[in-house]
Amino acid sequence: MPTEIFLIKVAKAIIEITGMFMIGQGVLYLFAGNARHQNFVYQLFAKATAPLMMLARLVSPKVIADRHVWIVALAILFWLYVVVMYLYVGACADHPGPWCARES
């Protein structure tokens, strides 16, 4: 597997995992209510998504309330995923092979 495709796949996996952490944190937010800050899993998800949330807070205007920063973070994840998939398609066009087979 070419190094370029490997690095793109690693970036894609990190983006997907971060998205799953955000979804899990959102589900726990709904189910745990005010006790979520004592929930170990919620704290773990919050630590995993903290760098993305800090980036979202950094790029968002000050008018955006802290409770809405997660929407900016999801938008950043979405556009990062679009860019990575664009790079992946381009890399597979340059280096066709079994590593570029359709993934299920």
Side-chain angles (χ1 to χ4, degrees), residues 1 4 8 10 13 15-16 19 39 44-45 50 67-68 76 90 94-95 98:
M1 175 184 308
E4 178 185 10
I8 291 171
V10 168
I15 292 169
E16 289 171 347
N39 188 321
L44 179 71
F45 289 171
R67 66 175 184 250
H68 299 298
I76 291 171
D94 293 341
H95 309 286

Side-chain angles (χ1 to χ4, degrees), residues 48-99:
T49 60
L52 180 64
M53 294 297 192
M54 286 189 297
L55 175 66
R57 180 76 266 177
L58 183 68
V59 300
S60 62
K62 299 300 176 200
V63 177
I64 307 254
D66 283 338
R67 66 175 184 250
H68 299 298
V69 171
W70 67 271
I71 298 169
V72 176
L74 278 178
I76 291 171
L77 266 184
F78 171 76
W79 287 110
L80 279 174
Y81 190 79
V82 168
V83 168
V84 166
M85 289 309 296
Y86 178 78
L87 293 173
Y88 180 68
V89 168
C92 283
D94 293 341
H95 309 286
W99 47 81

Side-chain angles (χ1 to χ4, degrees), residues 7-54:
L7 293 175
I8 291 171
K9 282 191 168 196
V10 168
K12 180 177 168 267
I14 291 171
I15 292 169
E16 289 171 347
I17 290 169
T18 305
M20 290 297 135
F21 277 141
M22 286 194 70
I23 290 171
Q25 189 177 3
V27 169
L28 282 173
Y29 178 86
L30 292 174
F31 288 134
N34 290 334
R36 66 184 174 271
H37 296 292
Q38 288 81 30
N39 188 321
F40 173 75
V41 177
Y42 184 86
Q43 291 174 357
L44 179 71
F45 289 171
K47 287 194 187 305
T49 60
L52 180 64
M53 294 297 192
M54 286 189 297

